[in-house]
């Protein structure tokens, strides 16, 4: 079967990418080596940009249902109502972020951030509260949501098909698989830390070697009272019990086993060549780091082993072959950044590659995938490296951990960390000096009671126009089919709407242009037209007289 784009890997990154490509109007197929979805322990939640990506595609209600179910399970396990306690966020959002996000904090190197210290009125946090009730979405449930999404879009997912080789012919890619040869226009590796696509493409994977071994599992214990809840450190390592029922997490600084010759696979990833974690291995690790005689009586599902091997691909693109997610970068799971970083890659790449296939991409558009995503990937790698350094059991790291703990116990420190963990401060370089330029679009409520995100379910560019005469929409009219204008001139009482007066949002949710002028000045219109040419290509047709 020929497809404009073939995606290798049916994890969250591959599924998001496939969906975005389908919304762009290109043909896409997904190849997955595994015959069935993985059951190993993975990410337990998503950050704000990932939740907002679901929101923009109409998946927020489903994500909120998963969130509520997850919180109910956690609340029942600890004998409290869903939503109580640190890290909770039980109520679905009404689009105004009514309190739910106020409980979503996270941790840095196991030091849980006190929600009561966070300045939830900080503009960066307050501007992204609509998805507050959709943050506790475990990866397994997320994959289920996305699988249904791509099925609705008609994207075929071919399981049990492994890529064994490929040739970039210049005008396409000839892919060898266990199911036969496939010809495709473009090939994207979303196939994890041990990426076959990356290896076959000859793309280097430099970084830092592993120093620790981590394990995570859901277990039954003979007497769980011997372990404290939350994170506990010792000279031997660290462990965490909870917050999900039966979940235990260990970290041992033991000059971790080196990965295979690919130097990959620091986090749980697709098809890692490693033996399964046994009940005995998990119990031994937990006893070593806790210093107790804790006894495990059952292991539920597939436990996961990982390290802090941290690497980033030398390039995210080689000809007609691209990388996204763990295929492009691997690191420890500290802070829960990996899944979200990969989804961000997919959202960024999807519409750009779709534009190239459709023939309207402006020159150099696909190159911006690497230039925009690489700095964010490098930041995540350093964010996780820093946490590994703070978690060591040596005297220097213990002293550093105490200092970091003091900083996190301040209002400014807690707010800073939550903003970083949640992803609300992420930005890419785009022309323009408006404060929103390059950032993810904030929550914007419209006069009719909807939000701007409600109008982006079909993908494409969104243009908010609050000018009295629709001047911004007129300027974008020649890009019809790529840009959808959403007028919002007055509220229900007939009063002028608040700033910003105009916002151009790319398909990945990034603000490409914004203006605060109450009137559409010639300068603002000129800047909008420049942004449209830069990101949406040449006009689709001549303006109507």
């Amino acid at each position: 079967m020929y497809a404009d784009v073939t995606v290798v890997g049916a994890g969250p990154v591959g599924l998001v990418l496939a969906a975005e490509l389908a919304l762009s109007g290109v043909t896409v197929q997904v190849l997955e080596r595994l015959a069935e979805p993985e059951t190993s322990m993975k990410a337990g939640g998503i950050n704000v940009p990932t939740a907002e990506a679901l929101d923009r595609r109409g998946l927020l209600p489903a994500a909120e249902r998963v969130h509520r179910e997850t919180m109910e399970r956690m609340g029942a396990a600890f004998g409290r109502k869903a939503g109580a306690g640190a890290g909770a966020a039980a109520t679905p959002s009404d689009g105004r972020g009514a309190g739910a996000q106020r409980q979503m904090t996270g941790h840095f190197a196991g030091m849980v951030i006190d929600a009561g210290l966070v300045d939830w009125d900080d503009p960066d946090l307050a501007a992204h509260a609509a998805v507050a009730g959709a943050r506790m979405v475990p990866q397994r449930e997320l994959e289920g949501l996305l699988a249904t999404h791509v099925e609705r879009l008609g994207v075929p997912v071919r399981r049990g098909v492994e890529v064994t080789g490929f040739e970039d012919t210049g005008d396409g890619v000839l892919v060898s698989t266990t199911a036969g040869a496939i010809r495709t226009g473009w090939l994207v590796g979303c196939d994890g830390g041990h990426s076959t696509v990356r290896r076959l493409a000859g793309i280097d994977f430099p970084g830092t070697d592993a120093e620790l071994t981590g394990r995570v599992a859901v277990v039954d214990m003979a007497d769980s009272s011997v372990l404290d809840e939350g994170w506990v450190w010792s000279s031997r390592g660290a462990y965490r019990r909870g917050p999900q029922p039966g979940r235990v997490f260990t970290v041992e600084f033991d000059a971790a086993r080196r990965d295979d010759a690919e130097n990959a696979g620091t986090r749980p990833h697709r098809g890692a060549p490693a033996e399964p974690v046994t009940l005995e291995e998990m119990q031994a690790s937990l006893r070593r780091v806790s210093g107790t005689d804790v006894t495990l009586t059952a292991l539920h599902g597939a436990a996961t082993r990982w390290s802090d091997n941290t690497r980033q691909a030398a390039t995210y693109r080689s000809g007609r072959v691209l990388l996204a997610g763990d295929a492009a970068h691997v690191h420890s799971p500290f802070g829960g950044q990996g899944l979200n970083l990969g989804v961000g890659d997919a959202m960024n790449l999807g519409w750009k590659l779709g534009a190239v296939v459709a023939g309207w991409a402006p020159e150099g558009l696909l190159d911006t995938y690497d230039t925009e995503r690489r700095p964010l990937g490098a930041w995540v790698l350093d964010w996780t490296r820093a946490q590994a350094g703070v978690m060591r059991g040596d005297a220097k790291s213990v002293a550093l951990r105490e200092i970091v703990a003091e900083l996190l116990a301040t209002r400014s420190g807690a707010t800073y960390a939550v903003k970083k963990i949640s992803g609300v401060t992420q930005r890419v370089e785009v022309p323009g000096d408006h404060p929103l330029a390059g950032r993810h679009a904030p929550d914007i409520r419209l006069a009719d009671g909807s939000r701007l995100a409600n109008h982006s379910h079909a993908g494409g560019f969104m243009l908010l126009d609050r000018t009295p005469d629709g001047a911004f929409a007129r300027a974008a009219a020649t890009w019809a089919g790529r840009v959808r204008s959403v007028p919002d001139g007055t509220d229900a009482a007939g009063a002028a709407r608040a700033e910003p007066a105009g916002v151009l949002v790319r398909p990945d949710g990034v603000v490409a242009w914004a203006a605060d002028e109450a009137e559409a000045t010639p300068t603002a219109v000129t800047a909008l037209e420049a942004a449209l040419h830069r990101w949406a290509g040449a006009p689709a047709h001549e303006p109507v007289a």
Side-chain angles (χ1 to χ4, degrees), residues 177-224:
T177 79
T178 53
I182 294 172
R183 182 167 290 279
T184 189
W186 297 80
L187 183 69
V188 185
C190 301
D191 50 341
H194 290 267
S195 171
T196 296
V197 174
R198 186 189 64 239
R199 175 176 57 81
L200 293 173
I203 297 175
D204 290 337
F205 207 35
T208 53
D209 292 335
E211 295 182 353
L212 62 82
T213 299
R215 298 172 180 85
V216 60
V218 174
V219 302
D220 289 338
M221 303 181 198
D223 181 9
S224 62

Side-chain angles (χ1 to χ4, degrees), residues 444-471:
I444 299 178
R445 281 190 90 82
L446 307 180
D448 62 4
S450 67
R451 292 179 296 112
L452 187 61
N454 300 144
H455 298 266
S456 60
H457 294 179
F461 289 82
M462 300 293 298
L463 175 62
L464 173 69
D465 184 1
R466 285 173 166 165
T467 59
D469 60 351

Side-chain angles (χ1 to χ4, degrees), residues 155-169:
V155 176
V157 178
R158 302 176 60 187
R159 287 193 167 274
V161 178
E162 184 173 2
V163 172
T164 58
F166 63 77
E167 178 187 1
D168 185 341
T169 61

Side-chain angles (χ1 to χ4, degrees), residues 226-476:
V226 300
L227 298 180
D228 293 329
E229 286 188 26
W231 282 91
V232 179
W233 294 270
S234 73
S235 60
R236 299 171 294 278
Y239 75 87
R240 182 187 186 187
R241 176 184 164 216
Q244 291 88 348
R247 186 176 187 269
V248 290
F249 189 107
T250 65
V251 177
E252 295 183 79
F253 285 88
D254 57 356
R257 300 178 305 128
R258 294 299 181 255
D259 276 324
D260 62 19
E262 288 183 288
N263 288 319
T266 66
R267 303 190 307 107
H269 56 269
R270 309 198 62 73
E275 64 274 15
V277 178
T278 64
L279 178 70
E280 292 74 21
E281 178 185 342
M282 195 71 215
Q283 177 177 275
S285 177
L286 195 53
R287 286 180 173 182
R288 284 192 296 269
V289 297
S290 69
T292 70
D293 60 354
V294 60
T295 298
L296 306 185
T297 58
L299 186 69
H300 298 286
T304 298
R305 185 190 303 107
W306 49 271
S307 81
D308 64 330
N309 186 21
T310 306
R311 300 181 180 277
Q312 187 173 34
T315 179
Y316 287 12
R317 178 190 175 190
S318 175
R320 285 180 171 263
V321 179
L322 299 107
L323 305 175
D326 285 0
H329 37 69
V330 292
H331 52 86
S332 75
F334 297 144
Q337 297 293 325
L339 164 65
N340 299 296
L341 180 61
V343 170
D345 291 347
M347 292 298 297
N348 188 290
L349 175 60
W351 71 273
K352 294 175 180 177
L353 184 54
V356 171
V357 173
W360 58 261
E363 183 177 357
L365 179 65
L366 194 56
D367 293 334
T368 66
Y369 168 58
D370 189 299
T371 58
E372 290 184 353
R373 295 304 299 174
R374 177 171 298 279
L376 290 173
W379 174 82
V380 168
L381 266 59
D382 283 343
W383 185 259
T384 60
R385 285 188 180 108
Q387 293 179 75
V390 171
M391 293 185 77
R392 294 191 189 103
D394 62 275
K396 293 178 181 179
S397 294
V398 170
L400 178 59
R401 185 163 66 242
E402 291 175 352
I403 292 173
V404 174
E406 290 179 1
L407 292 173
L408 294 176
T410 65
R411 185 172 180 81
S412 58
T415 303
Y416 169 86
V418 167
K419 287 167 63 173
K420 289 292 187 180
I421 293 168
S422 67
V424 298
T425 59
Q426 290 182 8
R427 102 177 268 278
V428 298
E429 292 297 327
V430 302
D433 55 5
H434 192 279
L436 291 180
R439 293 184 177 272
H440 289 281
D443 303 333
I444 299 178
R445 281 190 90 82
L446 307 180
D448 62 4
S450 67
R451 292 179 296 112
L452 187 61
N454 300 144
H455 298 266
S456 60
H457 294 179
F461 289 82
M462 300 293 298
L463 175 62
L464 173 69
D465 184 1
R466 285 173 166 165
T467 59
D469 60 351
F472 293 149
R474 285 200 308 278

Side-chain angles (χ1 to χ4, degrees), residues 11-168:
V13 178
L15 294 175
V16 169
L17 177 60
E20 292 302 293
L21 288 164
L23 287 172
S24 296
V26 306
T27 59
V28 57
Q29 63 181 340
V30 180
L31 307 181
E32 170 55 56
R33 184 185 68 85
L34 299 177
E36 299 293 336
E38 288 187 280
T39 59
S40 58
M41 293 287 294
K42 295 185 179 181
I46 58 178
N47 70 359
V48 169
T50 298
E52 289 182 334
L54 298 178
D55 184 17
R56 287 194 300 275
R57 298 302 177 253
L59 301 176
L60 183 60
E64 288 179 334
R65 285 194 297 272
V66 172
H67 172 99
R68 290 194 298 272
E69 292 167 359
T70 302
M71 297 307 302
E72 287 167 1
R73 290 196 300 269
M74 292 170 60
F78 293 103
R80 59 177 181 255
K81 294 181 179 179
T91 56
S93 171
D94 64 353
R96 302 177 187 272
Q101 184 171 325
R102 296 176 182 273
Q103 300 299 324
M104 296 302 296
T105 56
H107 72 89
F108 184 88
M111 291 172 277
V112 178
I113 300 163
D114 184 350
L117 292 173
V118 178
D119 178 10
W120 297 106
D121 293 323
D122 180 281
D124 288 327
L125 293 171
H128 296 274
V131 296
R135 298 285 305 284
M136 291 299 292
V137 180
Q139 183 166 334
R140 189 179 304 176
E141 284 81 353
L142 177 62
E143 287 190 15
L145 293 179
L146 294 172
T148 301
H149 182 46
V150 299
E151 183 179 8
R152 283 196 300 263
L153 293 172
V155 176
V157 178
R158 302 176 60 187
R159 287 193 167 274
V161 178
E162 184 173 2
V163 172
T164 58
F166 63 77
E167 178 187 1
D168 185 341

